[in-house]
Amino acid sequence: MYETNFHSVSSPQEAEAILATATDAKILAGGQTLIPTMKQRLAAPSDVIDLSRAEGLRGVTITKRKVMGVIKADGGETVTIGAMTTHAEVAANAELAEVFPAMCRLAGNIGDPAVRHRGTIGGSVANNDPAADYPAALLALAATIHTNKREIAASDYFQGMFETALQEGEIITAVSFQAPAAGGYGKFPNPASRYAMAGVFVARSKDGAVRVAVTGAGENGVFRHAGLEAALTADYSANAVDGVEVSAEGLMSDLHGTAAYRANLIKVMAKRALA
Amino acid sequence: MKIAMTVNGKSVSRDVPDNTLLVEYIRDHLRLTGTHVGCDTSQCGACVVHVDGRAMKSCTMLAASASGAQVTTVEGLATSKDELHPMQVAFKENHGLQCGFCTPGMIMTATDMVARYQGQGKELTEEAIRHELEGNICRCTGYHNIVKSIVDGASKMTTA
């Protein structure tokens, strides 16, 4: 690993100040991608800014919709997850399990236990690995990414492989979404890396809109699948997936599988997401 | 930079470069060589230690990030020099190792998973153990005896 200057900050504002003055500073969240990348000398930030002690970035909050100060019984919960919340914390959150257990299951199947104890949702979303799990969930849930500067809709945020709408000096502080009426995630992990070869997140919002997002398979990162969305809007069931044409165009071909193989995996994973 | 933490119940402090990994701090600076490095890609889990009670890969975090933390390595599991931790006893009795290189990481992962499952009141089945061992690679045993050891170690930890 190349030399670097380590900073531990107590707030995103403090991190912002360092980002503004250092030559090439990087934010360190859980570090489960950044540290291995630095070890391989594929990244050489002049400064590393550790957010693990920053206040207010950790935890899951669920707020119920209120009308005239009265909590509505029809649900309408908003889930907010702090950027520095670890995968293990999301997986084990009892309140989240009550309103949307699929998110807990997704978090509980990222990497391995040691990675889940350290890796964070903010780090995953900032990195936008084309085979990461959270981007599919956030896109399918029409989530909002909160930063120190603004709020960004997931559909504007994820811009391709490792590409996001984040600008210089921008730090993710939380993500939030409306708990859907139904939803699930099917992932076929690569047997060696455990990253998704195809991961499909299906969500039906409380107003009936169905969104389907695919990770791991696209040549350009996470994407929504219009054909699956149309079929599942008409009939929200695994059987509805059968009639959908999933094209291999734009999908990845590598030593692990061809684009046609991944196209088939998308259908199989969509069914598992609905099972 | 000066980095202080508690390792196996003892306060330690060393002046190390900012880019020092936690595993380098433990092995090279504290000379606790029970924690191993088996790969360069964060996959093998031979370096697993407990940081503030949670299993983490010490090769995939900076020592500076663990500043002020309570760290337990395999050397700190047993409560005395004469008596092994129940999980260590289980690995010994069930032939849960051959070359032994992955064993420190296996044992630290095992004690973490047992504590977590028992804490949540969940049953640690053989299937769950195999899933929980996702991040620990053994190249000799074929895992069978490791799983057996953890089943045994878990029951020993309950009765201990």
Side-chain angles (χ1 to χ4, degrees):
Chain A
M1 192 188 295
Y2 291 111
E3 279 178 27
T4 191
N5 299 302
F6 179 88
H7 310 265
S8 179
V9 296
S10 57
S11 69
Q13 289 71 29
E14 210 183 308
E16 212 179 318
I18 299 168
L19 278 174
T21 52
T23 30
D24 181 23
K26 274 262 184 215
I27 295 287
L28 176 66
Q32 300 303 285
T33 300
L34 181 58
I35 300 290
T37 313
M38 287 172 70
K39 282 166 66 178
Q40 301 294 326
R41 296 191 167 185
L42 294 170
S46 64
D47 296 73
V48 165
I49 308 165
D50 185 352
L51 284 184
S52 59
R53 288 182 186 83
E55 276 168 40
L57 297 181
R58 206 155 180 161
V60 179
T61 331
I62 292 161
T63 36
K64 303 224 190 243
R65 190 165 66 92
K66 284 182 188 172
V67 174
M68 314 276 289
V70 179
I71 294 172
K72 300 295 281 181
D74 65 350
E77 299 95 346
T78 304
V79 178
T80 307
I81 306 177
M84 289 299 290
T85 312
T86 65
H87 310 321
E89 286 163 351
V90 173
N93 191 280
E95 270 184 278
L96 180 59
E98 231 167 82
V99 299
F100 191 42
M103 198 68 168
C104 302
R105 279 198 298 273
L106 175 147
N109 281 309
I110 297 173
D112 59 54
V115 167
R116 293 195 286 274
H117 281 149
R118 188 104 199 124
T120 66
I121 190 167
S124 168
V125 171
N127 191 42
N128 190 20
D129 188 295
D133 299 305
Y134 276 132
L138 298 190
L139 192 58
L141 291 164
T144 303
I145 288 90
H146 303 253
T147 76
N148 54 337
K149 300 209 162 106
R150 59 188 169 140
E151 294 182 357
I152 313 168
S155 51
D156 297 326
Y157 176 85
F158 296 107
Q159 299 187 343
M161 221 178 244
F162 300 109
E163 291 285 332
T164 71
L166 287 179
Q167 291 165 356
E168 290 288 323
E170 201 164 13
I171 303 164
I172 299 175
T173 54
V175 303
S176 68
F177 58 89
Q178 299 293 317
Y185 183 53
K187 148 164 128 169
F188 190 85
N190 177 303
S193 74
R194 312 311 286 176
Y195 269 97
M197 285 184 60
V200 179
F201 204 101
V202 179
R204 183 162 54 103
S205 68
K206 286 185 173 147
D207 60 20
V210 175
R211 290 187 192 82
V212 179
V214 180
T215 189
E219 272 182 323
N220 202 26
V222 66
F223 65 92
R224 279 172 65 183
H225 197 281
L228 285 168
E229 289 183 356
L232 293 172
T233 303
D235 172 15
Y236 192 77
S237 77
N239 289 338
V241 173
D242 284 327
V244 180
E245 190 77 36
V246 175
S247 159
E249 203 177 318
L251 300 186
M252 236 184 314
S253 267
D254 56 21
L255 78 161
H256 306 298
T258 61
Y261 176 74
R262 282 190 165 86
N264 186 58
L265 265 186
I266 290 172
K267 285 178 78 166
V268 179
M269 291 308 114
K271 285 184 172 187
R272 286 194 193 166
L274 289 154
Chain B
M1 70 185 298
K2 203 164 191 102
I3 299 168
M5 63 185 85
T6 306
V7 177
N8 299 333
K10 240 170 65 185
S11 296
V12 294
S13 172
R14 293 288 188 280
D15 208 346
V16 298
D18 286 19
N19 64 356
T20 305
L21 294 167
L22 179 58
V23 72
E24 295 167 342
Y25 186 87
I26 291 168
R27 286 180 56 86
D28 304 343
H29 297 275
L30 303 180
R31 311 303 288 171
L32 291 169
T33 54
T35 302
H36 290 170
V37 179
C39 74
D40 202 18
T41 50
S42 306
Q43 285 174 308
C44 83
C47 69
V48 169
V49 299
H50 297 178
V51 179
D52 290 329
R54 290 185 181 84
M56 291 182 191
K57 293 181 178 177
S58 61
C59 80
T60 312
M61 67 186 285
L62 294 170
S65 293
S67 167
Q70 300 273 345
V71 175
T72 306
T73 70
V74 73
E75 290 94 338
L77 268 190
T79 41
S80 80
K81 273 202 154 68
D82 317 305
E83 202 178 342
L84 291 172
H85 183 276
M87 189 58 77
Q88 292 173 313
V89 174
F91 268 71
K92 188 178 162 195
E93 289 177 354
N94 292 280
H95 201 129
L97 59 142
Q98 285 182 30
C99 87
F101 195 87
C102 71
T103 313
M106 288 289 176
I107 288 180
M108 298 313 283
T109 297
T111 49
D112 170 79
M113 83 172 78
V114 172
R116 233 172 335 107
Y117 273 69
Q118 291 183 350
Q120 293 168 8
K122 285 198 301 193
E123 192 196 348
L124 186 60
T125 59
E126 193 187 311
E127 195 192 342
I129 292 172
R130 289 183 186 273
H131 180 67
E132 288 282 334
L133 284 178
E134 183 68 64
N136 292 77
I137 294 175
C138 168
R139 296 283 82 142
C140 327
T141 69
Y143 301 96
H144 189 69
N145 284 357
I146 293 173
V147 175
K148 251 171 72 184
S149 304
I150 297 173
V151 170
D152 186 29
S155 72
K156 284 183 160 77
M157 279 171 73
T158 326
T159 51

